[in-house]
Amino acid sequence: MEQQSSNLMSAQIHFVNARFSLVHIPLHRYKAYLQPILRLVFPVDPPNGGAQHGFSWANRYPFLNISITPTECSIVCLKSLAEELFNTTAISTTNSNDAIIFSEDLVVMSVEGEGLEAGKRVLELTSPLALAGISIFFITTYFSDYIIVPARSKGQVVRALEDRGFRFEESAEAYVNPAARRDRNRSSTSSFGHLSPSTPPPTTVDELQSRTFALLERHGILPRVDDDVRLLQCAGRRNDSDSSPTDEMALQVGLTKCLLYQPRFLSLTLTENEAASLLLDRQLISNFEPNNVLLGNKEDFLIPIMLDLQPLPLEATGIVCGVAGKLAGGPADGPLSNAIEMLYLSTARTGTVMVEEKDLGHAMEVLRAEKKIGEK
């Protein structure tokens, strides 16, 4: 654990200076909102609060994620654009068959660093947030990792980071950890998402994980694997001497093709400083020709383990964090050598953990074992 904490010394956490909204679109309404989605991905003019000087269409926003999964279309975008493109009134109820803009304002944090695999790093960083009772969303991309929290919780987030040894550095415009210290109850890589606000937050990582699986069990939510879905993590090329206008056009055409036909699985993340990041069904790769338009290994597939969280109340979204924590940390009292390498994606009503094909059996064993523990 000491080595794990010291590896976080290089981590930097940057708050994106904007307010965001979460949008949920039921799949049967996807086509009705296709034009607003395309306008969001390919804006004619830079949006208010977005990058005004980006050289690429992919750098128009401080942050944007559009994810289409087998259960929903989920969007995290600038609050002003959510209200302009998807609804005129923010609502907070799920009793609707139309698009929902959740009323909670969100802030986005980017996590950058070296020394730990992406999943372990973000889980280590977010475990103190979970133990502080802060709701969490995770998005892993090709270049960075992002933590999304309610805007009202930003002060709590800052305090939790400072308790962990982080401090704000003006030169980096980010929170850094110059002397990561070990915390007896927070040294695990496990993390947790939302609990009902009326429920006191857990005091230990073991309790945190137990609550996660108890809540899933209570609502009959089981991890599901679609044997036909194989995912690839890719990215567009940066706008530099190695790229060309042809590459940019090919990427845009490929994305348009994917979005037009309601992909089975696609997650697109755009930011001000990075090229477009994609997590997509391998069957979509043919839309991006020539093949060198996308960076990334086209042979290493990821298997998604999906949790349909629609039966849960809104405040319970993000439970994927608890499941991901179990996979990343192995047994609560066990060594990190048991950890399963993974990526993860939190959306409005779905939690998705992605593992390599060779780890799928082990991952499902871990989840089934945890379920059996809850039944005792």
Side-chain angles (χ1 to χ4, degrees):
M1 292 297 184
E2 294 287 357
Q3 178 63 36
Q4 180 186 5
S5 294
S6 64
N7 280 331
L8 289 174
M9 290 178 66
S10 62
Q12 292 191 358
I13 304 175
H14 171 72
F15 281 93
V16 179
N17 186 26
R19 291 293 179 98
F20 298 87
S21 290
L22 175 65
V23 181
H24 163 76
I25 300 175
L27 289 181
H28 72 275
R29 294 289 291 160
Y30 177 83
K31 291 182 179 179
Y33 287 93
L34 178 58
Q35 287 303 317
I37 290 172
L38 291 174
R39 287 173 57 195
L40 187 61
V41 177
F42 305 113
V44 176
D45 299 312
N48 293 332
Q52 302 291 326
H53 52 76
F55 295 102
S56 169
W57 66 275
N59 302 129
R60 296 282 186 99
Y61 297 108
F63 180 84
L64 169 68
N65 177 265
I66 299 176
S67 295
I68 300 126
T69 73
T71 58
E72 68 173 329
C73 173
S74 177
I75 298 170
V76 177
C77 66
L78 289 169
K79 179 180 179 180
S80 59
L81 288 176
E83 296 174 353
E84 173 187 341
L85 295 175
F86 300 104
N87 211 332
T88 57
T89 304
I91 57 177
S92 58
T93 176
T94 56
N95 296 323
S96 172
N97 290 321
D98 216 329
I100 298 171
I101 304 176
F102 297 111
S103 57
E104 186 86 69
D105 286 1
L106 304 174
V107 294
V108 175
M109 297 179 288
S110 64
V111 181
E112 300 175 359
E114 299 176 355
L116 285 179
E117 294 83 355
K120 294 178 186 176
R121 181 174 69 247
V122 175
L123 287 167
E124 170 70 10
L125 287 165
T126 55
S127 57
L129 307 184
L131 289 170
I134 300 169
S135 303
I136 303 166
F137 282 85
F138 299 141
I139 296 178
T140 301
T141 74
Y142 188 89
F143 299 107
S144 302
D145 304 291
Y146 295 89
I147 305 171
I148 303 171
V149 301
R152 59 180 167 79
S153 300
K154 184 176 179 180
Q156 287 179 274
V157 171
V158 170
R159 287 192 293 273
L161 292 175
E162 290 175 343
D163 287 345
R164 196 57 178 263
F166 284 81
R167 61 183 177 83
F168 187 78
E169 274 197 1
E170 295 286 349
S171 59
E173 295 185 344
Y175 284 86
V176 299
N177 191 351
R181 62 194 182 195
R182 185 178 181 180
D183 187 305
R184 181 181 47 156
N185 286 331
R186 299 174 184 173
S187 57
S188 168
T189 59
S190 301
S191 188
F192 187 70
H194 301 274
L195 284 173
S196 170
S198 62
T199 305
T203 57
T204 67
V205 169
D206 286 349
E207 182 185 355
L208 180 148
Q209 290 184 358
S210 296
R211 287 192 186 184
T212 301
F213 286 92
L215 186 58
L216 295 176
E217 174 77 9
R218 194 158 61 245
H219 289 272
I221 298 173
L222 298 174
R224 180 173 64 86
V225 176
D226 188 335
D227 293 333
D228 294 330
V229 178
R230 297 291 184 274
L231 304 179
L232 294 170
Q233 188 178 42
C234 304
R237 296 184 178 277
R238 297 179 186 273
N239 188 23
D240 53 27
S241 58
D242 294 330
S243 65
S244 70
T246 303
D247 291 337
E248 287 263 302
M249 182 61 67
L251 180 58
Q252 293 181 56
V253 170
L255 280 172
T256 302
K257 290 179 180 178
C258 292
L259 292 169
L260 281 176
Y261 295 100
Q262 191 170 331
R264 183 168 51 171
F265 202 114
L266 170 68
S267 181
L268 168 69
T269 301
L270 303 178
T271 66
E272 287 181 334
N273 302 315
E274 298 170 342
S277 180
L278 296 93
L279 183 68
L280 73 166
D281 189 328
R282 64 176 177 179
Q283 296 182 7
L284 299 175
I285 203 71
S286 61
N287 290 326
F288 301 89
E289 297 294 346
N291 290 333
N292 64 358
V293 168
L294 293 178
L295 302 174
N297 191 319
K298 312 302 191 301
E299 305 298 327
D300 291 342
F301 300 132
L302 297 168
I303 312 299
I305 302 174
M306 292 173 282
L307 296 168
D308 183 354
L309 304 177
Q310 296 191 65
L312 296 180
L314 290 181
E315 61 268 21
T317 55
I319 287 297
V320 66
C321 310
V323 177
K326 188 65 177 177
L327 295 176
D333 57 353
L336 286 178
S337 59
N338 293 325
I340 298 171
E341 274 307 301
M342 56 149 195
L343 304 178
Y344 38 78
L345 174 68
S346 292
T347 56
R349 308 304 298 147
T350 308
T352 304
V353 179
M354 292 148 283
V355 300
E356 295 181 7
E357 194 164 13
K358 65 181 178 63
D359 291 328
L360 179 60
H362 184 196
M364 294 304 290
E365 284 180 9
V366 170
L367 298 178
R368 282 195 294 265
E370 189 67 26
K371 180 177 181 295
K372 291 176 181 177
I373 291 172
E375 291 173 347
K376 291 182 179 179

